[in-house]
Amino acid sequence: MRIGILGGGQLGRMLALAGYPLGLSFRFLDPSPEACAGQVGELVVGGFLEEEALARFAEGLDLVTYEFENVPVEAAHLLAKRLPVLPPPKALEVAQDRLLEKTFMQSLGVPTPPFRGVEGLQDLQEGLEALGFPALLKVRRGGYDGKGQALVRTWEEAEKAFHALGGKGLVLEGYIPFDREVSILGVRSRTGALAFYPLVENRHQGGILRLSLAPAPQIPPTLQEKAEGYARKAMEALGYVGVVALEFFQVGEELLFNEMAPRVHNSGHWTIEGAETSQFENHLRALLGLPLGSTAPRGRSAMVNLIGVKPNVAQVLALSGAHLHWYGKEVRPGRKVGHITLRRDTWEGLAQDLSHLLALAQAAEPV
Ligand code: AMP
């Protein structure tokens, strides 16, 4: 089986690395010749809407999936005329638009922060009157890692942010003083079979995921059930196939939906060593209609992202239970270039070395 992946970043690279033991092969489409998945599989360099590149990419493939959620939906539709494209393009469409995704989840009965679409100053004014300060003003499309959004505390700040963010195509959200951020990964097979990973706690820094703790400590079973129920509803409504990630704000025993990624997700990287079956392998199993693998955790894991730094490899590997994943990307400030997962049998064992792990992920080497 030959699988085509739209996007050639680290998620595609890790999908391929999980798929080779299953006897699969991979081809990537990415506009950049430097795309790091190209180091582990065939790379077609071209734009997602370039007809000639799409044709070269599609030739001889059995199915297509994506590792990048801002692939133009049109590219997915064009490919879907020739071969299966999974998850369904509809999921891509919903997840690319913050207003659409919140409206969609709300229609399924999933709680979200209060929100309003903003297409002009009047919407902004009415929205702020209804939601109050502070509030978050975000672009509907294209924002990521905390970019394309602003926290506003006054009318002046709101007006300034409104103009800076383009004055239309925005969504205003009530500010949620959450206890913590958590995410769940669900997987739905072509056969309709479902599986869920345990909730993960995510800590961000400067809008970028820094640390995931998995399974999230102190999750009452009711919260896990809630998260699974929300993910199930979303997957069933979309006829979803593959891994999906839902991010939530936890407020006491409540979960408020923040966003959805129709793909494997950074908060699931711990599953490579920390779960019986990784998110990458389960995504592929789901696409192919193969039996899903167990999502049971193996002990406790902490995953830390390497952001714009190359760590000292020997020092990382000297830490028992630490696993380094280097993506083969050029190191640039603010860029995710790798991650380290520390896996231990117990929380106590993990907690002891958490600060050491974080220090290793900060320690830059000359590159
Ligand atoms: P997002 O790109 O929407 O995930 O937002 C980036 C980060 O901003 C989130 O991970 C939260 O830490 C914070 N944030 C986003 N929306 C809200 C909100 N409505 N209330 C409080 N914090 C938020």
Side-chain angles (χ1 to χ4, degrees), residues 141-344:
R141 305 175 64 88
Y144 66 97
D145 283 347
K147 296 188 182 73
Q149 60 175 272
L151 176 70
V152 298
R153 297 175 207 82
T154 61
W155 172 247
E156 288 69 33
E157 281 183 6
E159 211 175 352
K160 206 168 141 206
F162 168 85
H163 291 297
L165 295 173
K168 60 177 178 346
L170 306 177
V171 58
L172 183 72
E173 286 178 28
Y175 175 81
I176 306 297
F178 52 77
D179 301 332
R180 59 177 167 174
E181 294 185 75
V182 295
S183 60
I184 191 163
L185 270 81
V187 54
R188 183 167 182 271
S189 161
R190 256 172 130 155
T191 64
L194 289 164
F196 301 92
Y197 287 91
L199 277 163
V200 175
E201 176 175 337
N202 301 312
R203 300 193 192 158
H204 296 83
Q205 215 171 55
I208 303 185
L209 179 65
R210 175 93 188 124
L211 175 72
S212 290
L213 299 174
Q218 294 168 339
I219 293 284
T222 50
L223 214 64
Q224 177 72 24
E225 277 165 31
K226 252 184 204 167
E228 290 186 11
Y230 297 159
R232 176 182 296 116
K233 276 187 186 170
M235 288 193 285
E236 285 176 349
L238 291 165
Y240 198 86
V241 176
V243 165
V244 73
L246 299 187
E247 296 183 65
F248 298 100
F249 301 133
Q250 183 188 345
V251 183
E253 300 262 312
E254 291 302 321
L255 291 176
L256 301 181
F257 168 80
N258 177 34
E259 53 179 359
M260 168 169 97
R263 53 169 170 77
V264 287
H265 192 251
N266 196 170
S267 71
H269 290 0
W270 64 277
T271 60
I272 298 176
E273 291 87 10
E276 194 60 39
T277 314
S278 80
Q279 62 163 344
F280 301 100
E281 182 174 334
N282 258 338
H283 183 71
L284 297 169
R285 289 186 186 213
L287 303 183
L288 298 169
L290 293 169
L292 296 179
S294 163
T295 51
R298 293 200 279 215
R300 299 284 179 263
S301 300
M303 189 277 327
V304 61
N305 273 332
L306 299 170
I307 302 167
V309 292
K310 186 165 201 269
N312 180 305
V313 173
Q315 280 176 13
V316 173
L317 301 185
L319 177 61
S320 157
H323 302 270
L324 176 65
H325 294 260
W326 185 251
Y327 304 150
K329 290 160 67 168
E330 195 193 324
V331 180
R332 284 188 223 137
R335 192 181 203 199
K336 289 179 189 167
V337 287
H339 74 265
I340 306 170
T341 297
L342 180 63
R343 199 208 67 80
R344 291 284 164 77

Side-chain angles (χ1 to χ4, degrees), residues 86-155:
L86 299 166
K90 173 82 188 153
L92 202 59
E93 207 174 309
V94 171
Q96 282 178 357
D97 184 327
R98 290 178 194 279
L99 182 60
L100 216 59
E101 74 182 348
K102 287 203 173 64
T103 309
F104 168 71
M105 294 304 277
Q106 208 178 43
S107 76
L108 299 175
V110 178
T112 68
F115 64 92
R116 298 288 156 98
V118 173
E119 292 303 324
L121 270 176
Q122 194 178 340
D123 290 343
L124 181 68
Q125 198 160 5
E126 286 170 13
L128 286 168
E129 273 161 22
L131 305 185
F133 290 105
L136 278 111
L137 191 60
K138 303 181 180 180
V139 292
R140 281 173 62 171
R141 305 175 64 88
Y144 66 97
D145 283 347
K147 296 188 182 73
Q149 60 175 272
L151 176 70
V152 298
R153 297 175 207 82
T154 61
W155 172 247

